[in-house]
Amino acid sequence: MDILLMGPPGAGKGTQGALLAESLGLPKFATGDLLRDAVKRGTPLGLQARAVMEAGHLVGDEIILGVVRDELAKPEAAKGVIFDGVVRTIPQAEGMERILTDKGRAMDAVLFFDVTDQEILSRLERRRAVEQRADDDPAAVATRLEAYRDQTSPLLAWYEARKSLRRIPAVGTVAEIAARVRQALGR
Ligand code: ADP
């Protein structure tokens, strides 16, 4: 089963994605984590992505589709993947669809974690105090929210047209939201 988690920065995709991966026994793949790790290790991918990420912009579609292809070529991805924030533009959605189709697969569900901008801003402020991520500073946060609004949110209609979108109200306790996720997946 292939599942995409969508939602603005700070919506809780990472937390719920980890729980879901555990309960379904599937690997979770987050492009944000992979890119941050590449930056930390100073790999060619990291060197390419660093400035773009720190400013809060989106990394190029071809780079993202390349890492998606690599990930899906791994044996542990054969039964499905929980994709956490991996598709953020229409060209990425189209590319992902092609890659999955070639494997006889499709995105079985797209979970949209719905949270207000106000809630996002206060969550990211708290996270910044704890994690000190370079891209949680106020200017980069504003750029990320803008990138989300302009480039990622059009995907909601794209996936809705393909009948795979499920909306999860994402304010509440971790357990409450996890229960909504299970319900949305019919489990
Ligand atoms: P957030 O969900 O708060 O944006 P992530 O950790 O998921 O944080 O992503 C951090 C950064 O990594 C993004 O701001 C962007 O620069 C880059 N990134 C991650 N996934 C993608 C993607 N699918 N397309 C383009 N850029 C991405």
Side-chain angles (χ1 to χ4, degrees), residues 4-5 13-14 17-18 27-37 53 64 67-68 71 81-88:
L4 174 65
L5 312 181
K13 303 182 290 289
K28 176 170 97 88
F29 175 53
T31 31
D33 291 344
L34 179 131
L35 292 167
R36 254 189 305 282
D37 183 60
M53 286 178 75
I64 297 297
V67 300
V68 167
E71 192 63 26
V81 174
I82 309 296
F83 293 101
D84 168 3
V86 173
V87 178
R88 300 194 189 201

Side-chain angles (χ1 to χ4, degrees), residues 100-117:
L100 286 173
T101 302
D102 283 348
K103 296 186 173 291
R105 286 155 63 172
M107 202 57 89
D108 298 293
V110 178
L111 305 180
F112 166 51
F113 291 84
D114 196 4
V115 205
T116 62
D117 276 5

Side-chain angles (χ1 to χ4, degrees), residues 35-53:
L35 292 167
R36 254 189 305 282
D37 183 60
V39 168
K40 203 160 44 178
R41 290 187 295 123
T43 65
L45 172 65
L47 296 175
Q48 217 176 345
R50 181 173 182 166
V52 177
M53 286 178 75

Side-chain angles (χ1 to χ4, degrees), residues 55-79:
H57 292 296
L58 292 181
V59 170
D61 294 333
E62 285 313 314
I63 295 183
I64 297 297
L65 291 172
V67 300
V68 167
R69 265 187 219 99
D70 290 348
E71 192 63 26
L72 279 167
K74 295 182 181 168
E76 57 269 33
K79 291 210 173 73

Side-chain angles (χ1 to χ4, degrees), residues 18 27-28 44 47-48 55 68 78 92-93 104 115 118 124 130 133 137 166 174 181:
K28 176 170 97 88
L47 296 175
Q48 217 176 345
V68 167
Q92 289 179 19
V115 205
Q118 199 44 51
L124 290 178
V130 179
R133 265 173 56 168
D137 83 72
R166 328 241 167 118
V174 169
V181 167

